[in-house]
Amino acid sequence: MKAFLALAILLVGLTGAFAQNEQAPILEKEIKYKDWTYQSVTGDEKINLREYTAGKKLVLVVYFAPWCHNWRHEAPFVETLYEKYKASGLGVIGVGEYDTVEVMKTELEARKITFPVVYESESRDAKKDTLHYEYRQETGDTRNWGSPWNIFLLPAEMKKKGDTLTKKTYVVNGELIEPEAEKFVREKLGLPPEESKMETAAKKEIEACPEEKPVEFQKPEN
């Protein structure tokens, strides 16, 4: 019985490890990425992507399935990026896939997501009928469900009119690699490289010890 429990715990641990191991680099890809207008998950409004990118320097669109462990692993980091850099020109918008809107709402609340999120599909049956699926095929993503799937847009380089926003941009066929993604975001926002903790510590001035004053000897009184 103990051996069975130990094996079960090991399998759960391995599942979690693999669920967090679909990281992929940021690569520039040829992709005919189209403008869209989707319904918000948390509100009554519809959001148009081209309009959302207006006034921003960089926009990350992250496609996800709410039940996906890889998305749940990436979500806190994406939220951190959004909060840290939105004042510097970063926009983030999520596109929910392959589940009901209610499930998506619950997931966003659980992850404390504050960036806007819309949805393209509401059922797993729509897997091969979405633009998300087409984009993944176009950029060589061979994963089963492709969640999360990340695409960065540079508004200054996007087409101002027409259905197609861009024909070449930066894509991540998997989870973001955190140090690489943050470095990329800072570069595209025109921010200087962020110092590591070790670099910051090395620059701190070491307080010098106070100089010892020479001891003055006095003649003893007679």
Side-chain angles (χ1 to χ4, degrees):
M1 185 65 180
K2 289 183 179 179
F4 176 78
L5 288 174
L7 179 61
I9 292 170
L10 177 61
L11 289 174
V12 170
L14 288 174
T15 300
F18 284 119
Q20 299 173 10
N21 195 28
E22 285 191 354
Q23 294 180 327
I26 300 170
L27 298 174
E28 191 173 23
K29 297 269 188 176
E30 291 187 0
I31 175 175
K32 293 180 180 178
Y33 190 71
K34 299 176 182 178
D35 187 23
W36 48 251
T37 300
Y38 292 144
Q39 182 70 43
S40 170
V41 170
T42 57
D44 297 328
E45 76 278 9
K46 290 185 177 181
I47 300 177
N48 174 260
L49 180 56
R50 183 181 269 118
E51 291 177 359
Y52 178 75
T53 63
K56 298 177 175 64
K57 297 179 182 178
L58 178 68
V59 172
L60 168 61
V61 184
V62 52
Y63 289 76
F64 70 94
W67 38 262
C68 175
H69 293 291
N70 300 94
W71 147 255
R72 291 174 179 174
H73 180 243
E74 179 180 276
F77 174 63
V78 175
E79 174 64 24
T80 298
L81 282 180
Y82 176 65
E83 290 296 334
K84 187 173 180 179
Y85 295 111
K86 62 182 179 181
S88 299
L90 175 68
V92 177
I93 188 163
V95 181
E97 301 281 5
Y98 316 127
D99 214 328
T100 66
V101 176
E102 287 305 315
V103 171
M104 292 179 194
K105 283 182 181 178
T106 301
E107 171 63 17
L108 296 177
E109 290 172 0
R111 306 295 150 203
K112 296 181 172 58
I113 299 301
T114 63
F115 54 81
V117 179
V118 297
Y119 63 94
E120 182 186 15
S121 62
E122 299 179 75
S123 168
R124 296 196 189 197
D125 294 335
K127 177 183 177 181
K128 294 187 178 182
D129 299 324
T130 61
L131 284 173
H132 169 236
Y133 181 80
E134 290 182 20
Y135 294 143
R136 291 178 51 228
Q137 297 297 302
E138 190 176 352
T139 56
D141 185 357
T142 59
R143 295 174 297 157
N144 186 17
W145 286 95
S147 171
W149 184 77
N150 302 275
I151 179 167
F152 287 97
L153 301 173
L154 295 166
E157 299 178 8
M158 286 178 4
K159 296 182 181 297
K160 304 305 179 185
K161 296 180 180 179
D163 292 336
T164 302
L165 294 176
T166 185
K167 293 184 179 180
K168 180 185 265 189
T169 193
Y170 298 90
V171 171
V172 182
N173 288 332
E175 292 177 48
L176 296 168
I177 300 171
E178 294 184 12
E180 179 200 34
E182 184 149 16
K183 180 182 177 183
F184 176 86
V185 167
R186 293 185 69 88
E187 286 177 354
K188 296 305 179 185
L189 294 179
L191 300 174
E194 194 168 46
E195 292 182 348
S196 67
K197 291 181 179 179
M198 291 182 65
E199 289 172 332
T200 302
K203 286 187 175 182
K204 286 185 177 180
E205 293 183 2
I206 300 175
E207 185 178 353
C209 295
E211 294 182 4
E212 293 186 1
K213 294 182 179 180
V215 178
E216 295 182 0
F217 292 95
Q218 295 181 347
K219 293 182 178 180
E221 294 181 358
N222 293 331

